[in-house]
Amino acid sequence: MPQSEYRALAAWLVARGFAVLAPERPGHGATGGRYLEDQGDCDEADYSRAGRATAEAIVAALNYLRSQSFVRQDGAVILGHSAGGWGALVLAGGKLKGVSAIIAFAAGRGGHANDVPNQVCARHRLVSTAREFGKGARVPVTWLVAANDSYFSPKLSRQLADAFRSGGGSGDFHVLAASGSEGHWLAESDAGVKIAAPELDRALKLKPPAAAAKKQ
């Protein structure tokens, strides 16, 4: 599986004072290894187990980053994309200290079932698991999806966000403008990050660097 580098998104965050780590999840990348996040059969997909395994990988990455002398221990922001966003929702429960916000780009699992756009494995299980992840959630989540996402459409993404909130989670849901030929990859492109920037600024309660410098 090709490694996603998120260069534009990382640069956007660094420009605002964040230290950024873009980890590759177990089972991916050059080192390979056992894949720990398998959701199982399409019809009986275990989205809870898969999401919690992803969350464990995120925690390991965050703990490593916090071990660096130049990184603050508080105010961490977790940004997840697709399956990474799905795992990030698990961490909204607040058991991981020092996390101030979670941003989920097109969060979900099981998209493009049987390689068919806008088809999702066991949709009802995905929705019910989003509700499960919302129970006890205390960290605010900003849920973003492009208008032309064919993995987790705006309609389905809204259902997932509503289910997460009905379970007790808090946060905002936003449909962004279409990005390229497939909006699911919005978080990975320069143009996509520009589309998402206003919502990212709001989610992180930040002012763009140019605006801040102008004020000074």
mmCIF file of all heavy atoms in Angstrom, residues 134-153:
data_model
loop_
_atom_site.group_PDB
_atom_site.id
_atom_site.type_symbol
_atom_site.label_atom_id
_atom_site.label_comp_id
_atom_site.label_asym_id
_atom_site.label_seq_id
_atom_site.Cartn_x
_atom_site.Cartn_y
_atom_site.Cartn_z
ATOM 1 N N GLY A 134 -19.185 7.181 20.495
ATOM 2 C CA GLY A 134 -19.607 8.447 21.082
ATOM 3 C C GLY A 134 -19.885 8.378 22.567
ATOM 4 O O GLY A 134 -19.928 9.414 23.252
ATOM 5 N N LYS A 135 -20.087 7.169 23.102
ATOM 6 C CA LYS A 135 -20.401 7.026 24.523
ATOM 7 C C LYS A 135 -19.225 7.473 25.387
ATOM 8 O O LYS A 135 -18.118 6.963 25.256
ATOM 9 C CB LYS A 135 -20.762 5.571 24.834
ATOM 10 C CG LYS A 135 -22.065 5.115 24.195
ATOM 11 C CD LYS A 135 -22.363 3.660 24.514
ATOM 12 C CE LYS A 135 -23.676 3.229 23.863
ATOM 13 N NZ LYS A 135 -23.968 1.800 24.110
ATOM 14 N N GLY A 136 -19.484 8.430 26.244
ATOM 15 C CA GLY A 136 -18.445 8.936 27.132
ATOM 16 C C GLY A 136 -17.433 9.837 26.472
ATOM 17 O O GLY A 136 -16.439 10.218 27.094
ATOM 18 N N ALA A 137 -17.654 10.187 25.207
ATOM 19 C CA ALA A 137 -16.683 11.029 24.489
ATOM 20 C C ALA A 137 -16.687 12.447 25.067
ATOM 21 O O ALA A 137 -17.742 13.041 25.257
ATOM 22 C CB ALA A 137 -17.003 11.060 23.006
ATOM 23 N N ARG A 138 -15.507 12.962 25.318
ATOM 24 C CA ARG A 138 -15.376 14.299 25.892
ATOM 25 C C ARG A 138 -14.549 15.250 25.025
ATOM 26 O O ARG A 138 -14.674 16.460 25.139
ATOM 27 C CB ARG A 138 -14.745 14.206 27.289
ATOM 28 C CG ARG A 138 -15.652 13.549 28.320
ATOM 29 C CD ARG A 138 -15.027 13.546 29.701
ATOM 30 N NE ARG A 138 -13.885 12.643 29.776
ATOM 31 C CZ ARG A 138 -14.000 11.334 30.001
ATOM 32 N NH1 ARG A 138 -15.178 10.784 30.130
ATOM 33 N NH2 ARG A 138 -12.916 10.576 30.077
ATOM 34 N N VAL A 139 -13.692 14.722 24.193
ATOM 35 C CA VAL A 139 -12.871 15.574 23.321
ATOM 36 C C VAL A 139 -13.702 15.950 22.093
ATOM 37 O O VAL A 139 -14.287 15.080 21.448
ATOM 38 C CB VAL A 139 -11.596 14.839 22.876
ATOM 39 C CG1 VAL A 139 -10.760 15.729 21.960
ATOM 40 C CG2 VAL A 139 -10.781 14.397 24.090
ATOM 41 N N PRO A 140 -13.806 17.250 21.772
ATOM 42 C CA PRO A 140 -14.605 17.659 20.607
ATOM 43 C C PRO A 140 -14.020 17.153 19.297
ATOM 44 O O PRO A 140 -12.803 17.120 19.111
ATOM 45 C CB PRO A 140 -14.569 19.193 20.674
ATOM 46 C CG PRO A 140 -13.333 19.514 21.455
ATOM 47 C CD PRO A 140 -13.185 18.410 22.448
ATOM 48 N N VAL A 141 -14.913 16.736 18.402
ATOM 49 C CA VAL A 141 -14.518 16.200 17.099
ATOM 50 C C VAL A 141 -15.038 17.095 15.986
ATOM 51 O O VAL A 141 -16.213 17.475 15.990
ATOM 52 C CB VAL A 141 -15.068 14.771 16.901
ATOM 53 C CG1 VAL A 141 -14.789 14.280 15.476
ATOM 54 C CG2 VAL A 141 -14.474 13.817 17.928
ATOM 55 N N THR A 142 -14.179 17.449 15.058
ATOM 56 C CA THR A 142 -14.591 18.132 13.836
ATOM 57 C C THR A 142 -14.535 17.113 12.712
ATOM 58 O O THR A 142 -13.472 16.567 12.408
ATOM 59 C CB THR A 142 -13.674 19.323 13.520
ATOM 60 O OG1 THR A 142 -13.786 20.294 14.572
ATOM 61 C CG2 THR A 142 -14.076 19.992 12.204
ATOM 62 N N TRP A 143 -15.697 16.844 12.106
ATOM 63 C CA TRP A 143 -15.834 15.798 11.091
ATOM 64 C C TRP A 143 -15.941 16.468 9.733
ATOM 65 O O TRP A 143 -16.846 17.248 9.491
ATOM 66 C CB TRP A 143 -17.095 15.008 11.390
ATOM 67 C CG TRP A 143 -17.199 13.628 10.824
ATOM 68 C CD1 TRP A 143 -17.057 13.259 9.522
ATOM 69 C CD2 TRP A 143 -17.498 12.429 11.550
ATOM 70 N NE1 TRP A 143 -17.256 11.910 9.379
ATOM 71 C CE2 TRP A 143 -17.528 11.369 10.606
ATOM 72 C CE3 TRP A 143 -17.767 12.158 12.890
ATOM 73 C CZ2 TRP A 143 -17.808 10.059 10.981
ATOM 74 C CZ3 TRP A 143 -18.031 10.854 13.258
ATOM 75 C CH2 TRP A 143 -18.050 9.817 12.312
ATOM 76 N N LEU A 144 -15.001 16.181 8.829
ATOM 77 C CA LEU A 144 -14.948 16.825 7.522
ATOM 78 C C LEU A 144 -15.044 15.793 6.405
ATOM 79 O O LEU A 144 -14.395 14.740 6.480
ATOM 80 C CB LEU A 144 -13.640 17.610 7.368
ATOM 81 C CG LEU A 144 -13.322 18.650 8.455
ATOM 82 C CD1 LEU A 144 -11.941 19.251 8.223
ATOM 83 C CD2 LEU A 144 -14.376 19.742 8.485
ATOM 84 N N VAL A 145 -15.832 16.098 5.384
ATOM 85 C CA VAL A 145 -15.932 15.213 4.228
ATOM 86 C C VAL A 145 -16.142 16.048 2.979
ATOM 87 O O VAL A 145 -16.851 17.057 3.009
ATOM 88 C CB VAL A 145 -17.077 14.190 4.407
ATOM 89 C CG1 VAL A 145 -18.419 14.884 4.521
ATOM 90 C CG2 VAL A 145 -17.092 13.173 3.272
ATOM 91 N N ALA A 146 -15.480 15.664 1.889
ATOM 92 C CA ALA A 146 -15.643 16.382 0.622
ATOM 93 C C ALA A 146 -16.962 16.001 -0.038
ATOM 94 O O ALA A 146 -17.458 14.881 0.119
ATOM 95 C CB ALA A 146 -14.482 16.066 -0.314
ATOM 96 N N ALA A 147 -17.512 16.928 -0.789
ATOM 97 C CA ALA A 147 -18.807 16.701 -1.444
ATOM 98 C C ALA A 147 -18.755 15.536 -2.416
ATOM 99 O O ALA A 147 -19.782 14.897 -2.678
ATOM 100 C CB ALA A 147 -19.236 17.972 -2.169
ATOM 101 N N ASN A 148 -17.579 15.225 -2.955
ATOM 102 C CA ASN A 148 -17.465 14.153 -3.950
ATOM 103 C C ASN A 148 -16.700 12.946 -3.406
ATOM 104 O O ASN A 148 -15.970 12.274 -4.128
ATOM 105 C CB ASN A 148 -16.814 14.658 -5.232
ATOM 106 C CG ASN A 148 -15.396 15.171 -5.023
ATOM 107 O OD1 ASN A 148 -15.060 15.656 -3.939
ATOM 108 N ND2 ASN A 148 -14.556 15.073 -6.041
ATOM 109 N N ASP A 149 -16.874 12.666 -2.125
ATOM 110 C CA ASP A 149 -16.262 11.480 -1.522
ATOM 111 C C ASP A 149 -17.128 10.264 -1.850
ATOM 112 O O ASP A 149 -18.299 10.207 -1.466
ATOM 113 C CB ASP A 149 -16.154 11.657 -0.004
ATOM 114 C CG ASP A 149 -15.298 10.586 0.657
ATOM 115 O OD1 ASP A 149 -15.498 9.389 0.365
ATOM 116 O OD2 ASP A 149 -14.449 10.949 1.473
ATOM 117 N N SER A 150 -16.580 9.278 -2.562
ATOM 118 C CA SER A 150 -17.358 8.100 -2.944
ATOM 119 C C SER A 150 -17.089 6.906 -2.032
ATOM 120 O O SER A 150 -17.629 5.819 -2.253
ATOM 121 C CB SER A 150 -17.072 7.718 -4.401
ATOM 122 O OG SER A 150 -15.773 7.176 -4.537
ATOM 123 N N TYR A 151 -16.236 7.090 -1.032
ATOM 124 C CA TYR A 151 -16.010 6.042 -0.035
ATOM 125 C C TYR A 151 -17.013 6.189 1.102
ATOM 126 O O TYR A 151 -17.696 5.229 1.475
ATOM 127 C CB TYR A 151 -14.583 6.119 0.516
ATOM 128 C CG TYR A 151 -13.546 5.575 -0.423
ATOM 129 C CD1 TYR A 151 -13.131 6.307 -1.532
ATOM 130 C CD2 TYR A 151 -12.968 4.328 -0.205
ATOM 131 C CE1 TYR A 151 -12.177 5.811 -2.405
ATOM 132 C CE2 TYR A 151 -12.004 3.827 -1.076
ATOM 133 C CZ TYR A 151 -11.620 4.576 -2.171
ATOM 134 O OH TYR A 151 -10.673 4.074 -3.048
ATOM 135 N N PHE A 152 -17.097 7.397 1.654
ATOM 136 C CA PHE A 152 -18.062 7.706 2.711
ATOM 137 C C PHE A 152 -18.737 9.021 2.318
ATOM 138 O O PHE A 152 -18.229 10.104 2.600
ATOM 139 C CB PHE A 152 -17.358 7.808 4.068
ATOM 140 C CG PHE A 152 -16.514 6.600 4.365
ATOM 141 C CD1 PHE A 152 -15.126 6.674 4.312
ATOM 142 C CD2 PHE A 152 -17.092 5.377 4.640
ATOM 143 C CE1 PHE A 152 -14.344 5.560 4.540
ATOM 144 C CE2 PHE A 152 -16.319 4.252 4.870
ATOM 145 C CZ PHE A 152 -14.937 4.344 4.820
ATOM 146 N N SER A 153 -19.837 8.893 1.623
ATOM 147 C CA SER A 153 -20.524 10.056 1.050
ATOM 148 C C SER A 153 -20.930 11.047 2.138
ATOM 149 O O SER A 153 -21.015 10.688 3.321
ATOM 150 C CB SER A 153 -21.782 9.601 0.308
ATOM 151 O OG SER A 153 -22.738 9.101 1.243
#
